[in-house]
Short mmCIF file of all heavy atoms in Angstrom, two decimals:
data_model
loop_
_atom_site.label_atom_id
_atom_site.label_comp_id
_atom_site.label_asym_id
_atom_site.label_seq_id
_atom_site.Cartn_x
_atom_site.Cartn_y
_atom_site.Cartn_z
N THR Z 41 -10.96 -5.00 47.42
CA THR Z 41 -10.39 -5.61 48.62
C THR Z 41 -10.53 -4.65 49.80
O THR Z 41 -10.90 -3.48 49.64
CB THR Z 41 -8.91 -5.93 48.41
OG1 THR Z 41 -8.19 -4.71 48.20
CG2 THR Z 41 -8.72 -6.84 47.19
N LYS Z 42 -10.17 -5.13 50.98
CA LYS Z 42 -10.25 -4.30 52.19
C LYS Z 42 -9.37 -3.07 52.06
O LYS Z 42 -9.78 -1.94 52.39
CB LYS Z 42 -9.84 -5.14 53.39
CG LYS Z 42 -9.80 -4.39 54.71
CD LYS Z 42 -9.39 -5.34 55.83
CE LYS Z 42 -9.27 -4.58 57.15
NZ LYS Z 42 -8.88 -5.48 58.25
N SER Z 43 -8.14 -3.26 51.57
CA SER Z 43 -7.22 -2.13 51.46
C SER Z 43 -7.72 -1.11 50.43
O SER Z 43 -7.56 0.09 50.62
CB SER Z 43 -5.83 -2.62 51.08
OG SER Z 43 -5.87 -3.33 49.85
N ASP Z 44 -8.34 -1.62 49.33
CA ASP Z 44 -8.90 -0.70 48.32
C ASP Z 44 -9.99 0.17 48.93
O ASP Z 44 -10.04 1.38 48.70
CB ASP Z 44 -9.49 -1.49 47.16
CG ASP Z 44 -8.43 -2.19 46.33
OD1 ASP Z 44 -7.30 -1.69 46.31
OD2 ASP Z 44 -8.75 -3.24 45.73
N LEU Z 45 -10.85 -0.45 49.71
CA LEU Z 45 -11.95 0.30 50.31
C LEU Z 45 -11.44 1.34 51.30
O LEU Z 45 -11.93 2.47 51.34
CB LEU Z 45 -12.91 -0.67 51.00
CG LEU Z 45 -13.72 -1.59 50.07
CD1 LEU Z 45 -14.42 -2.68 50.87
CD2 LEU Z 45 -14.74 -0.78 49.30
N MET Z 46 -10.47 0.95 52.12
CA MET Z 46 -9.92 1.90 53.10
C MET Z 46 -9.26 3.08 52.39
O MET Z 46 -9.44 4.24 52.78
CB MET Z 46 -8.90 1.18 53.99
CG MET Z 46 -9.53 0.15 54.92
SD MET Z 46 -8.33 -0.61 56.03
CE MET Z 46 -7.95 0.79 57.08
N LYS Z 47 -8.50 2.77 51.33
CA LYS Z 47 -7.82 3.83 50.60
C LYS Z 47 -8.82 4.81 49.99
O LYS Z 47 -8.67 6.03 50.10
CB LYS Z 47 -6.94 3.20 49.52
CG LYS Z 47 -6.20 4.23 48.67
CD LYS Z 47 -5.41 3.53 47.57
CE LYS Z 47 -4.76 4.57 46.67
NZ LYS Z 47 -4.04 3.95 45.54
N LEU Z 48 -9.86 4.27 49.36
CA LEU Z 48 -10.86 5.13 48.71
C LEU Z 48 -11.60 5.98 49.73
O LEU Z 48 -11.87 7.17 49.49
CB LEU Z 48 -11.85 4.27 47.92
CG LEU Z 48 -11.33 3.68 46.61
CD1 LEU Z 48 -12.31 2.67 46.07
CD2 LEU Z 48 -11.09 4.79 45.60
N GLU Z 49 -11.94 5.39 50.86
CA GLU Z 49 -12.68 6.16 51.86
C GLU Z 49 -11.82 7.25 52.47
O GLU Z 49 -12.28 8.38 52.70
CB GLU Z 49 -13.20 5.22 52.95
CG GLU Z 49 -13.99 5.90 54.06
CD GLU Z 49 -15.23 6.64 53.56
OE1 GLU Z 49 -15.68 6.35 52.43
OE2 GLU Z 49 -15.75 7.50 54.30
N LEU Z 50 -10.54 6.95 52.73
CA LEU Z 50 -9.64 7.98 53.26
C LEU Z 50 -9.48 9.13 52.27
O LEU Z 50 -9.51 10.30 52.65
CB LEU Z 50 -8.28 7.36 53.58
CG LEU Z 50 -8.24 6.39 54.78
CD1 LEU Z 50 -6.89 5.69 54.84
CD2 LEU Z 50 -8.50 7.14 56.07
N GLU Z 51 -9.32 8.77 50.97
CA GLU Z 51 -9.20 9.81 49.95
C GLU Z 51 -10.45 10.66 49.89
O GLU Z 51 -10.39 11.88 49.73
CB GLU Z 51 -8.92 9.17 48.59
CG GLU Z 51 -7.54 8.58 48.46
CD GLU Z 51 -7.35 7.84 47.15
OE1 GLU Z 51 -8.37 7.65 46.45
OE2 GLU Z 51 -6.21 7.45 46.83
N ARG Z 52 -11.62 10.00 50.00
CA ARG Z 52 -12.88 10.75 49.95
C ARG Z 52 -13.00 11.71 51.12
O ARG Z 52 -13.39 12.87 50.96
CB ARG Z 52 -14.05 9.77 49.94
CG ARG Z 52 -15.41 10.43 49.69
CD ARG Z 52 -16.55 9.46 49.89
NE ARG Z 52 -16.69 9.08 51.30
CZ ARG Z 52 -17.29 9.85 52.21
NH1 ARG Z 52 -17.82 11.01 51.87
NH2 ARG Z 52 -17.37 9.47 53.45
N GLN Z 53 -12.63 11.24 52.33
CA GLN Z 53 -12.77 12.10 53.50
C GLN Z 53 -11.79 13.27 53.48
O GLN Z 53 -12.11 14.38 53.89
CB GLN Z 53 -12.60 11.26 54.77
CG GLN Z 53 -13.73 10.26 54.98
CD GLN Z 53 -13.67 9.59 56.34
OE1 GLN Z 53 -13.03 10.09 57.25
NE2 GLN Z 53 -14.37 8.47 56.46
N TYR Z 54 -10.54 13.01 52.99
CA TYR Z 54 -9.60 14.12 52.85
C TYR Z 54 -10.11 15.14 51.83
O TYR Z 54 -9.95 16.35 51.99
CB TYR Z 54 -8.24 13.60 52.41
CG TYR Z 54 -7.37 13.17 53.57
CD1 TYR Z 54 -6.93 11.84 53.67
CD2 TYR Z 54 -6.97 14.09 54.56
CE1 TYR Z 54 -6.14 11.43 54.73
CE2 TYR Z 54 -6.18 13.67 55.62
CZ TYR Z 54 -5.76 12.36 55.73
OH TYR Z 54 -4.99 11.96 56.77
N ALA Z 55 -10.75 14.64 50.77
CA ALA Z 55 -11.23 15.53 49.72
C ALA Z 55 -12.31 16.48 50.22
O ALA Z 55 -12.41 17.61 49.75
CB ALA Z 55 -11.75 14.71 48.54
N VAL Z 56 -13.13 16.02 51.17
CA VAL Z 56 -14.22 16.87 51.69
C VAL Z 56 -13.79 17.62 52.94
O VAL Z 56 -14.60 18.27 53.59
CB VAL Z 56 -15.48 16.03 51.99
CG1 VAL Z 56 -16.01 15.40 50.72
CG2 VAL Z 56 -15.20 14.96 53.05
N GLY Z 57 -12.49 17.50 53.31
CA GLY Z 57 -11.96 18.27 54.41
C GLY Z 57 -12.30 17.74 55.78
O GLY Z 57 -12.30 18.50 56.76
N ARG Z 58 -12.58 16.46 55.90
CA ARG Z 58 -12.91 15.86 57.20
C ARG Z 58 -11.75 15.00 57.67
O ARG Z 58 -11.03 14.40 56.87
CB ARG Z 58 -14.15 15.00 57.08
CG ARG Z 58 -15.43 15.80 56.91
CD ARG Z 58 -16.57 14.90 56.54
NE ARG Z 58 -16.63 13.72 57.39
CZ ARG Z 58 -17.39 12.66 57.15
NH1 ARG Z 58 -18.13 12.65 56.06
NH2 ARG Z 58 -17.40 11.64 57.96
N ARG Z 59 -11.60 14.93 58.99
CA ARG Z 59 -10.58 14.04 59.54
C ARG Z 59 -11.06 12.61 59.40
O ARG Z 59 -12.17 12.28 59.79
CB ARG Z 59 -10.37 14.36 61.02
CG ARG Z 59 -9.19 13.59 61.60
CD ARG Z 59 -8.83 14.17 62.94
NE ARG Z 59 -7.72 13.38 63.49
CZ ARG Z 59 -7.75 12.80 64.67
NH1 ARG Z 59 -8.82 12.89 65.42
NH2 ARG Z 59 -6.70 12.12 65.10
N PRO Z 60 -10.25 11.73 58.84
CA PRO Z 60 -10.71 10.36 58.61
C PRO Z 60 -10.96 9.59 59.88
O PRO Z 60 -10.18 9.67 60.82
CB PRO Z 60 -9.56 9.75 57.81
CG PRO Z 60 -8.36 10.60 58.10
CD PRO Z 60 -8.87 11.97 58.36
N THR Z 61 -12.08 8.90 59.91
CA THR Z 61 -12.43 8.03 61.05
C THR Z 61 -12.05 6.61 60.68
O THR Z 61 -12.89 5.77 60.40
CB THR Z 61 -13.94 8.12 61.36
OG1 THR Z 61 -14.64 7.80 60.17
CG2 THR Z 61 -14.31 9.52 61.79
N SER Z 62 -10.74 6.37 60.66
CA SER Z 62 -10.24 5.09 60.15
C SER Z 62 -10.63 3.92 61.01
O SER Z 62 -10.83 2.82 60.51
CB SER Z 62 -8.71 5.15 60.02
OG SER Z 62 -8.13 5.45 61.28
N VAL Z 63 -10.78 4.14 62.34
CA VAL Z 63 -11.13 3.01 63.20
C VAL Z 63 -12.52 2.52 62.89
O VAL Z 63 -12.76 1.33 62.68
CB VAL Z 63 -11.01 3.40 64.69
CG1 VAL Z 63 -11.48 2.26 65.56
CG2 VAL Z 63 -9.57 3.78 65.03
N ASN Z 64 -13.47 3.48 62.84
CA ASN Z 64 -14.85 3.07 62.53
C ASN Z 64 -14.94 2.46 61.13
O ASN Z 64 -15.64 1.49 60.92
CB ASN Z 64 -15.79 4.29 62.61
CG ASN Z 64 -15.90 4.80 64.04
OD1 ASN Z 64 -15.67 4.03 64.98
ND2 ASN Z 64 -16.24 6.08 64.19
N PHE Z 65 -14.19 3.08 60.21
CA PHE Z 65 -14.24 2.56 58.84
C PHE Z 65 -13.64 1.15 58.77
O PHE Z 65 -14.16 0.27 58.09
CB PHE Z 65 -13.49 3.49 57.90
CG PHE Z 65 -13.45 3.00 56.49
CD1 PHE Z 65 -14.61 3.02 55.72
CD2 PHE Z 65 -12.29 2.48 55.93
CE1 PHE Z 65 -14.60 2.55 54.43
CE2 PHE Z 65 -12.29 2.00 54.66
CZ PHE Z 65 -13.44 2.05 53.89
N ALA Z 66 -12.54 0.95 59.51
CA ALA Z 66 -11.91 -0.38 59.51
C ALA Z 66 -12.87 -1.43 60.04
O ALA Z 66 -12.93 -2.55 59.52
CB ALA Z 66 -10.64 -0.35 60.36
N ASP Z 67 -13.65 -1.04 61.07
CA ASP Z 67 -14.64 -1.99 61.59
C ASP Z 67 -15.69 -2.30 60.53
O ASP Z 67 -16.13 -3.46 60.39
CB ASP Z 67 -15.32 -1.41 62.83
CG ASP Z 67 -14.35 -1.35 64.02
OD1 ASP Z 67 -13.33 -2.09 63.97
OD2 ASP Z 67 -14.61 -0.58 64.95
N ALA Z 68 -16.08 -1.27 59.81
CA ALA Z 68 -17.10 -1.49 58.78
C ALA Z 68 -16.58 -2.42 57.69
O ALA Z 68 -17.28 -3.32 57.23
CB ALA Z 68 -17.52 -0.15 58.17
N VAL Z 69 -15.32 -2.18 57.29
CA VAL Z 69 -14.73 -3.03 56.26
C VAL Z 69 -14.58 -4.45 56.77
O VAL Z 69 -14.84 -5.42 56.06
CB VAL Z 69 -13.37 -2.46 55.82
CG1 VAL Z 69 -12.65 -3.45 54.90
CG2 VAL Z 69 -13.55 -1.13 55.12
#
Side-chain angles (χ1 to χ4, degrees):
T41 64
K42 177 179 177 180
S43 59
D44 291 333
L45 291 169
M46 292 183 69
K47 179 183 176 183
L48 286 170
E49 180 60 18
L50 290 171
E51 289 174 351
R52 188 188 69 80
Q53 292 190 19
Y54 274 119
V56 297
R58 288 169 47 191
R59 188 167 178 235
T61 56
S62 57
V63 176
N64 293 336
F65 178 71
D67 290 340
V69 172

